[in-house]
Amino acid sequence: MSKIQVYLMPGLAASSSIFERIELPESQFEIHLLEWFVPVSHETLKDYAKRMAEKVKGNNPVLIGVSFGGILVQEMAQFLKPKKIIIISSVKSNAELPRRMKIAKTTKAYKLIPTSLLANVELLVKYAFGDVFKQRLKLYERYLYMRNKEYLDWAIEQVIIWERKSVDSNVIHIHGDSDEVFPVKNIKNFINVKGGTHMMILNRFKWFNQNLPKIILHDDKDKINF
């Protein structure tokens, strides 16, 4: 029996190492890790998704994306014939974006974000105040893969201006009820991970290792016992 090909797409600027603790039975699944690359000048999300889709080989792959990676795999699906699309800590349409992001789209306030600072997380850690903030910055430093300013400016804008209005009914949405980036109050029709935060792919990996195989293999997610 051929293995199910599973492609994992990390969140905005993150490395695929965020999946380092994700384990699927090797007898059934073969995992492939995708990485961000720098967009060309004025590249649309659709065109970027097409280029990323070219890295996916074989038929009927499973696409799994975290956060902005979840948005991207939904766009990639139009160029592939995925067996399943699973998004984690993400959104299925622009209606699920938080109010602050909708305001940022109108005011274009997102253009004022000093993305150049993200390129030097070490400096931010050095001058950070408070242990919790320092711990989170160190986590970002470890998993931040794409520090290119052009990419960061592009990626943030693509989240804010995402035009998808209709939800793809084939998308399986896994979301934590303590997600601070995409608050659960804006999210509909999802598999709830109790206490899960936006970074739960890192600290709730046991839940994913236990449940992802069931979600991928079962045709009706509503009949799975979590």
Side-chain angles (χ1 to χ4, degrees):
M1 187 178 78
S2 59
K3 297 181 182 181
I4 296 173
Q5 305 301 304
V6 180
Y7 285 80
L8 305 180
M9 188 75 228
L12 193 152
S15 163
S16 63
S17 62
I18 66 168
F19 301 112
E20 62 189 3
R21 293 183 176 180
I22 298 300
E23 299 176 353
L24 303 177
E26 293 183 2
S27 60
Q28 296 172 291
F29 306 96
E30 185 172 351
I31 291 178
H32 305 270
L33 303 175
L34 296 171
E35 301 282 8
W36 295 103
F37 50 80
V38 179
V40 299
S41 181
H42 304 296
E43 186 166 22
T44 65
L45 183 59
K46 180 178 180 179
D47 288 342
Y48 188 95
K50 184 178 181 180
R51 287 207 290 153
M52 187 65 78
E54 292 172 356
K55 299 179 181 296
V56 177
K57 309 301 179 183
N59 299 318
N60 306 120
V62 172
L63 304 178
I64 301 179
V66 174
S67 192
F68 180 43
I71 289 176
L72 183 65
V73 297
Q74 291 175 78
E75 295 299 317
M76 290 168 61
Q78 63 189 298
F79 304 108
L80 303 164
K81 294 181 179 179
K83 175 183 176 69
K84 281 193 176 174
I85 308 164
I86 300 172
I87 65 173
I88 300 167
S89 308
S90 189
V91 291
K92 298 184 292 298
S93 73
N94 55 18
E96 292 187 334
L97 292 172
R99 185 169 178 267
R100 67 178 182 278
M101 290 188 184
K102 294 176 182 177
I103 293 174
K105 178 180 180 180
T106 302
T107 62
K108 298 190 183 301
Y110 61 89
K111 292 182 178 293
L112 300 177
I113 297 174
T115 50
S116 57
L117 289 178
L118 292 176
N120 194 344
V121 181
E122 296 87 349
L123 188 64
L124 285 175
V125 170
K126 182 178 179 180
Y127 292 103
F129 295 95
D131 291 337
V132 174
F133 189 47
K134 286 183 179 180
Q135 289 173 5
R136 177 157 292 193
L137 280 175
K138 286 182 179 179
L139 205 58
Y140 284 140
E141 179 183 0
R142 177 179 177 184
Y143 294 106
L144 191 66
Y145 166 77
M146 183 63 76
R147 303 188 183 200
N148 178 280
K149 187 179 186 302
E150 286 72 26
Y151 163 83
L152 292 169
D153 289 340
W154 173 86
I156 291 170
E157 181 173 51
Q158 298 312 309
V159 175
I160 300 296
I161 68 170
W162 194 35
E163 296 180 347
R164 183 179 292 258
K165 295 181 179 179
S166 58
V167 173
D168 183 344
S169 59
N170 293 319
V171 171
I172 297 171
H173 192 169
I174 304 172
H175 210 82
D177 57 17
S178 295
D179 193 302
E180 65 279 15
V181 176
F182 299 125
V184 72
K185 66 180 181 180
N186 301 311
I187 309 297
K188 297 180 180 178
N189 301 320
F190 64 97
I191 297 170
N192 183 32
V193 179
K194 294 182 179 179
T197 66
H198 195 67
M199 303 175 75
M200 66 182 180
I201 194 67
L202 295 174
N203 53 34
R204 299 295 297 274
F205 63 91
K206 291 182 179 179
W207 186 97
F208 289 100
N209 290 343
Q210 179 182 353
N211 292 291
L212 275 179
K214 293 186 290 185
I215 293 171
I216 293 172
L217 294 172
H218 285 69
D219 292 329
D220 190 348
K221 67 178 184 296
D222 295 325
K223 293 184 179 179
I224 302 174
N225 295 318
F226 293 103

